[in-house]
Structure formats: C-alpha cells, structure tokens
C-alpha cells in the first residue's frame, strides 16, 4: 500500500489502500481545498514528474526547491556546520539525487521544521538519514504520520548545536518557529523563517499572517510580541520560504515592519 500525499499542501499520510477522504491541513482556514477538490499522489508518482533543484545562497547554506512547483511551493535549506548539518523545513519530494547530494555534503545531523504546512514527508527524510526531527510541541496535533524520530520540544528556545537556535515565535501557528544561525551572513547572523515571518515582494519589508492564502491577519499585539521575541538576536539576513530574502539590515526591517503593521491595524484608511 502506498503513502498518500496531498497535492495541495504536500502533507503525507500513512500507507493505505485508498486516499483519505480529506486532508485536515487543507480543510482548515490557514490552508484551503481547491475548487477542483482534494487530490492525492504517491511518492513514486511525484518523483516521476518532479525533481529537486539546488542553489547555494551563501557559504554553507543551500536552497532546495521542487520543480515544477508542487504543493505550497516552499523551499527547504541545507545548513552546513562543523558540528553537523541541519535541514531547515521540508519538501514532499525526496528524490535519489537529493539523497546523494546530501550525503556528499556531509549528511544530516538533524531536521527542524517551522510549522505544520511543511511537515510533508518528514518521516521519510528522517529515515533516509537516520536523524531526529525537531517540532515545537504546541503543534503536535498536526502530525499526520507519527514517527519515533520526531522530537517535540516545549521550550521557547531550543539549541541544535553551537550557534544554531530554534525560537518559538507563534503567530501563524502556536508553535511557529524560526532558526537563528549565528555564523550566517559572514558572521553577522541570519534568520531562517519559513513564513512565520514572511518576506515582502519589495524585499524591504516582512509581514505576519494567520492565514496567507485566505489573507487573515494576526492581531497587533501578537505581531508586537513576535518582534520583541527577536530583540537581542543579531541577524543581518533573513531567508523566507518562497525564494525571497533580505540581504542586509534584516533585524531593523522586522522591527520597522512590525510597527507599520500595528499602525495600519489601528487606522481607518481613507
């Protein structure tokens, strides 16, 4: 029996003779079921028509993105460190070339994922590299394929090794997490955010939403709390989920954008 993968969001479900009736991830206001209805694929069928493309963004940081676009269309990152490599966020497709390239670059010591929309086929990645997957415990009910390699952490911070820290910001999901990389941006610090902190199209702003496809906002107080959680963490660059990043002054961009967001919520526009 094959593993079933939701075509809309990329979430995988346990082996079963027929696809599920519904995808709980999509059937919720932070995602959506398309007008064509819920559709499903398998890992084998997905690999037959897609491949993962790689790009180096800076020393020791690689972007991985499935082409043609699949599911939500997010990217994952391979972050290399002297103490072990980390996969940040996850993709539904784990093709043979990705496994070969990962191992050639030193393999993995851990996987960490920002929020449930990117859980995808995380048990398969964990099994392929025999590593733990770190998930914030507040989002544990969204795991559709429980696995012994999943490690739920309860704190607001969790170290993955020297200079690598998971920070729970909440917002988009209660367990919404970002990864602070101390040595990124030539030692000035980088933040990998998924869409917990979403990079704007102008690459000079960020935003924060409860639901991105349905355009539902967070409260001003929640955005203020997210921004305050990042105070004291030095990061010059910020890498989001969908191909956009802020190359310089990212910490100031987050502070300025959070203030602008709150001001807009408090105003009546003409």
């Amino acid at each position: 029996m094959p593993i079933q993968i939701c075509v809309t969001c990329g979430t995988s479900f346990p082996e079963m003779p027929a696809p599920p009736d519904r995808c709980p991830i999509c059937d919720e206001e932070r995602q959506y079921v398309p007008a064509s209805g819920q559709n499903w694929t398998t890992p084998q069928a997905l690999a037959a028509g897609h491949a993962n493309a790689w790009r180096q963004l800076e020393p020791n940081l690689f972007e991985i993105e499935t082409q043609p676009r699949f599911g939500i269309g997010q990217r994952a990152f391979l972050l290399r460190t002297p103490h072990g490599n980390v996969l940040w966020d996850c993709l539904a497709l784990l093709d043979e070339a990705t496994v070969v390239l990962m191992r050639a670059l030193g393999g993995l010591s851990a996987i960490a994922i920002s929020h449930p929309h990117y859980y995808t086929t995380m048990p398969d990645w964990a099994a392929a590299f025999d590593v733990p997957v770190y998930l914030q415990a507040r989002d544990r009910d969204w795991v559709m394929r429980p696995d012994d390699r999943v490690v739920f952490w309860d704190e607001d911070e969790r170290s993955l090794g020297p200079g690598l820290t998971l920070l729970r910001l909440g917002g988009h999901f209660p367990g919404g997490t970002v990864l602070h990389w101390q040595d990124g941006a030539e030692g000035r610090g980088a933040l990998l955010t998924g869409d917990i902190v979403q990079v704007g199209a102008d690459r000079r702003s960020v935003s924060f939403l409860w639901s991105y496809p349905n355009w539902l906002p967070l409260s001003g107080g929640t955005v203020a709390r997210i921004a305050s959680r990042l105070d004291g963490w030095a990061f010059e660059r910020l890498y989001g989920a969908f191909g956009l990043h802020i190359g310089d002054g990212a910490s100031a961009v987050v502070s300025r954008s959070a203030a602008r967001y709150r001001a807009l919520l408090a105003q009546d526009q003409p």
Side-chain angles (χ1 to χ4, degrees):
M1 292 186 294
I3 292 165
Q4 300 290 337
I5 300 175
C6 172
V7 170
T8 304
C9 72
T11 299
S12 65
F13 290 75
E15 295 178 352
M16 56 187 71
D21 293 333
R22 54 187 287 270
C23 171
I25 298 287
C26 289
D27 196 19
E28 197 261 348
E29 65 182 3
R30 282 167 289 197
Q31 230 322 80
Y32 66 96
V33 177
S36 60
Q38 200 77 65
N39 292 294
W40 304 88
T41 189
T42 65
Q44 295 75 19
L46 178 60
H50 294 75
N52 286 337
W54 287 62
R55 182 173 62 157
Q56 187 169 12
L57 301 176
E58 63 174 89
N60 297 316
L61 184 67
F62 293 82
E63 167 194 88
I64 314 166
E65 189 174 20
T66 300
Q67 296 182 353
R69 175 189 167 115
F70 178 77
I72 293 172
Q74 78 274 16
R75 56 181 174 173
F77 296 88
L78 173 64
L79 199 166
R80 302 177 72 203
T81 85
H83 308 283
N85 299 343
V86 172
L87 179 72
W88 171 249
D89 279 335
C90 201
L91 304 174
L93 175 62
L94 177 59
D95 56 12
E96 292 183 9
T98 296
V99 174
V100 171
L101 288 169
M102 284 275 195
R103 289 176 176 163
L105 290 168
L108 291 178
S109 62
I111 298 169
I113 303 178
S114 60
H115 71 289
H117 288 158
Y118 304 160
Y119 288 174
T120 60
T121 58
M122 61 181 179
D124 303 319
W125 290 75
F129 299 98
D130 192 22
V131 294
V133 182
Y134 292 94
L135 305 180
Q136 223 293 325
R138 288 168 178 81
D139 294 337
R140 68 190 307 152
D141 290 345
W142 295 103
V143 175
M144 299 295 117
R145 285 174 65 198
D147 190 273
D148 290 341
R149 292 182 178 85
V150 172
V151 177
F152 292 104
W153 53 284
D154 293 293
E155 310 87 352
D156 284 338
E157 298 178 13
R158 175 70 181 248
S159 173
L160 292 182
L164 292 178
T165 308
L166 297 172
L167 305 173
R168 186 189 77 85
L169 301 186
H172 184 40
F173 273 82
T177 300
V178 299
L179 175 61
H180 183 265
W181 177 27
Q182 180 177 298
D183 292 337
E186 297 79 41
R188 296 171 295 166
L191 200 67
L192 284 67
T193 65
D195 56 3
I196 302 306
V197 180
Q198 177 73 282
V199 180
D202 61 4
R203 300 176 306 286
R204 299 193 302 271
S205 64
V206 298
S207 194
F208 323 80
L209 291 179
W210 173 258
S211 172
Y212 287 96
N214 299 314
W215 307 111
L216 298 176
L218 295 172
S219 73
T222 297
V223 170
R225 179 182 55 74
I226 289 172
S228 69
R229 281 281 292 123
L230 293 174
D231 286 346
W233 292 91
F235 55 97
E236 188 69 15
R237 291 190 188 135
L238 189 151
Y239 292 95
F242 301 108
L244 297 176
H245 69 275
I246 296 169
D248 299 290
S251 179
V253 168
V254 171
S255 296
R256 185 171 63 248
S257 297
R260 179 60 175 152
Y261 183 107
R262 296 182 69 201
L264 286 169
L265 287 181
Q267 295 172 6
D268 289 327
Q269 281 73 35

